[in-house]
Amino acid sequence: MTDTIWKQGELIELNISDTSDTGDGVGRSHERVVFVPDTVPGDRVVVRLVHVKPTYAHAKLKQLLEPSPHRIRPSCIVADKCGGCQWQHIDYQYQLEAKRNQVIQALERIGGFVQPPVDAVLRAPSPLGYRNKATYPVGVSATGNVQAGYYQKGSHQLINLNQCPVQDARLNPLLAEVKQDIQKRNWQVYKEQFHKGVIRHLGLRIGRRTGEMLLTLIVKDWNLPGIQEQSQEWLNRYPTLVGVCLNRNPERTNAIFGSETRCIAGIGYLREEFAGLEFQVRPDTFFQVYTETAEALLQVIQSELNLQGNEVLVDTYCGIGTLTLPLAKQVHQAIGLEIQSEAVEQAILNAKRNQINNVTFMTGAVEKVLPQLKMKPDIVLLDPPRKGCDRKVIETLLISKPTCIVYVSCKVATLARDLKLLCENGVYTLIRVQPADFFPQTAHVETAAFLVLSSLHKA
């Protein structure tokens, strides 16, 4: 190890050679790693060290000496400030290559896999204008104007937006104009440091296929004089707006949504078409933000499983049945497990709406319900939150030994950890990994991993 002393605030020159799993550029100086936001592999830069540790540092870009061939001009004028995107300065093809490399590195480093079978990343149909949901913090400028946007990178400084190039463009008028209506109504904006005020966030959703929109104000309490009148005014102004809702979150918390939602005008959900089915989506429903890429990944899953119609499938962490219901149409029996009772209610409604009768939805923690099932499924679909699967889920699968496991993950580090547990004793073999770009312009990557019982794979 070099004896060179690093000092906070020091300027150093770097060649950026890689990206981290959080999206920062990575350079090396005197055998130590430096993480630099807003850089691209191939950049030669001058950076200022801001957080210094013995073996690594975080730095801030000060000067671009030589740009990478993968560096482009961002589509957004505040891309260098706004924390909503990380990679607008990177050309799209290289974003895809970086995401595939991120998956490979995690599977090798964390999972212990040698040359994991990782396919090219499924391209998004468009790297811009794709988000069907956006939730913006609301604030007040120094001059007293109501603002909505994303926080500046690494801070709670709000960057005011009137449009956002990654959200569905049909939502932009609402983003620009609802702030003005809040101002005219003199509704008080929430101040986090004092836990005072009412309006915390502005939530927008759209059905990509139907065009139906929902507008939701996340509030500290219900006290918004004139909200009924204003909600009707919004419905009249925006022809495709089907509902206006309030969601109450009275807690001191970073969580956006509270537990109670009221529909003030119109209806409390929008309709969306996904994989040939119709779904009800409420303000706080989990639904993939990129409808079309989620469909493309589903098609890969259907193709890889090659379903014959006689299988029993269990979909864990099933939400409102987004994947359960299309797959249920191709199997003998499907069971969906989900801890949130509201999501299960929606899943049951969605099954009825689409006349799918061979599916059962059960409420409860997956680690508790899965061991209680009195049957051995042929296929288990895992789609856990970012923290991955509870250890009890992995242990249950290693005992019940379903023929095939499909693990869909939004965080490749926890995916690699759980795949290692499933494969380390030779019970399962990892046969394919398909990343998909659900979040263009960010470092996030969705991944579907396919495992089969090793005894069958060898046969």
Side-chain angles (χ1 to χ4, degrees):
M1 174 62 69
T2 178
D3 293 328
T4 302
I5 297 174
W6 272 359
K7 296 178 182 178
Q8 188 163 313
E10 182 181 354
L11 293 174
I12 63 172
E13 187 174 315
L14 284 178
N15 291 315
I16 303 299
S17 58
D18 202 353
T19 56
S20 71
D21 57 1
T22 59
D24 292 344
V26 177
R28 286 169 175 79
S29 175
H30 300 290
E31 301 178 29
R32 291 173 288 198
V33 176
V34 185
F35 300 98
V36 191
D38 306 315
T39 59
V40 191
D43 281 345
R44 190 163 64 88
V45 295
V46 174
V47 304
R48 185 181 300 278
L49 301 177
V50 292
H51 297 293
V52 177
K53 300 292 182 181
T55 58
Y56 69 93
H58 293 273
K60 185 175 182 179
L61 176 65
K62 297 303 293 182
Q63 185 181 357
L64 181 61
L65 299 176
E66 185 177 329
S68 164
H70 308 298
R71 178 178 282 276
I72 61 171
R73 182 185 295 275
S75 300
C76 180
I77 59 173
V78 294
D80 61 330
K81 301 180 181 69
C82 177
C85 296
Q86 301 150 300
W87 279 2
Q88 282 207 29
H89 59 287
I90 303 178
D91 76 66
Y92 185 56
Q93 181 57 41
Y94 193 76
Q95 289 186 33
L96 298 177
E97 294 172 13
K99 291 184 183 191
R100 179 174 183 266
N101 189 49
Q102 186 185 130
V103 175
I104 292 171
Q105 287 189 9
L107 290 174
E108 290 178 342
R109 188 179 69 252
I110 301 171
F113 294 95
V114 178
Q115 295 183 327
V118 181
D119 290 354
V121 179
L122 281 178
R123 296 179 66 95
S126 170
L128 296 170
Y130 65 88
R131 289 190 66 99
N132 58 35
K133 175 189 177 184
T135 310
Y136 298 100
V138 179
V140 178
S141 72
T143 56
N145 292 320
V146 174
Q147 299 182 317
Y150 290 117
Y151 290 122
Q152 187 167 353
K153 297 170 183 176
S155 80
H156 263 227
Q157 179 69 37
L158 197 64
I159 303 298
N160 187 49
L161 300 173
N162 288 320
Q163 61 177 0
C164 177
V166 297
Q167 78 173 11
D168 190 305
R170 291 171 288 184
L171 294 173
N172 283 330
L174 280 73
L175 174 58
E177 296 163 11
V178 169
K179 293 178 294 189
Q180 300 173 23
D181 299 318
I182 293 171
Q183 185 107 25
K184 290 174 186 175
R185 291 281 175 182
N186 200 30
W187 290 335
Q188 297 303 298
V189 171
Y190 178 73
K191 292 182 174 59
E192 183 181 29
Q193 63 270 40
F194 305 114
H195 198 50
K196 300 287 186 181
V198 180
I199 297 180
R200 303 176 68 137
H201 287 81
L202 168 63
L204 305 175
R205 291 200 97 138
I206 187 167
R208 294 276 289 175
R209 299 279 165 56
T210 64
E212 294 184 355
M213 297 191 296
L214 276 181
L215 189 162
T216 304
L217 296 178
I218 294 91
V219 294
K220 179 172 171 282
D221 57 58
W222 303 115
N223 185 28
L224 281 182
I227 182 59
Q228 196 77 47
E229 179 185 17
Q230 182 61 64
S231 297
Q232 194 58 53
E233 186 179 315
W234 283 328
L235 287 180
N236 295 339
R237 185 191 304 167
Y238 307 111
T240 56
L241 184 67
V242 296
V244 178
C245 299
L246 293 183
N247 173 273
R248 178 173 171 267
N249 184 353
E251 306 297 330
R252 283 183 177 268
T253 176
N254 290 329
I256 295 175
F257 283 94
S259 59
E260 188 177 359
T261 301
R262 295 179 181 175
C263 180
I264 306 301
I267 55 177
Y269 61 88
L270 59 79
R271 295 176 304 111
E272 177 62 309
E273 296 170 5
F274 180 85
L277 303 177
E278 186 177 286
F279 288 83
Q280 286 187 9
V281 181
R282 298 177 187 172
D284 56 349
T285 297
F286 175 77
F287 193 81
Q288 293 290 0
V289 298
Y290 204 141
T291 306
E292 295 87 344
T293 311
E295 279 185 335
L297 186 59
L298 170 63
Q299 290 171 4
V300 170
I301 292 171
Q302 291 170 321
S303 175
E304 186 66 35
L305 290 177
N306 190 26
L307 299 167
Q308 302 300 305
N310 57 356
E311 297 90 351
V312 175
L313 177 142
V314 174
D315 182 6
T316 62
Y317 316 94
C318 69
I320 64 168
T322 312
L323 297 179
T324 327
L325 296 178
L327 292 170
K329 295 181 68 175
Q330 297 178 284
V331 300
H332 173 66
Q333 181 187 6
I335 299 170
L337 310 180
E338 171 59 49
I339 194 170
Q340 293 186 333
S341 58
E342 298 87 352
V344 171
E345 290 171 9
Q346 291 181 70
I348 292 170
L349 285 173
N350 288 327
K352 290 179 179 177
R353 175 180 288 265
N354 292 283
Q355 299 180 323
I356 298 173
N357 303 314
N358 65 330
V359 60
T360 302
F361 291 100
M362 303 173 67
T363 305
V366 173
E367 58 269 22
K368 294 182 179 179
V369 180
L370 187 61
Q372 297 171 358
L373 294 180
K374 303 299 183 184
M375 42 77 78
K376 176 184 175 180
D378 301 296
I379 302 160
V380 171
L381 178 64
L382 303 171
D383 192 358
R386 293 179 62 82
K387 65 180 181 180
C389 291
D390 186 278
R391 185 65 179 257
K392 183 68 175 177
V393 175
I394 302 295
E395 292 170 355
T396 301
L397 294 172
L398 290 172
I399 293 169
S400 63
K401 295 184 176 63
T403 303
C404 179
I405 297 173
V406 183
Y407 193 136
V408 179
S409 171
C410 60
K411 186 174 182 180
V412 70
T414 53
L415 169 71
R417 178 201 69 198
D418 291 347
L419 293 183
K420 180 179 181 179
L421 294 172
L422 289 164
C423 296
E424 65 182 351
N425 292 321
V427 179
Y428 283 95
T429 298
L430 179 64
I431 61 168
R432 181 180 180 184
V433 180
Q434 176 63 74
D437 195 14
F438 283 21
F439 306 95
Q441 315 306 331
T442 79
H444 298 296
V445 57
E446 197 84 4
T447 310
F450 299 88
L451 301 96
V452 297
L453 281 171
S454 297
S455 57
L456 295 176
H457 180 66
K458 292 171 184 175

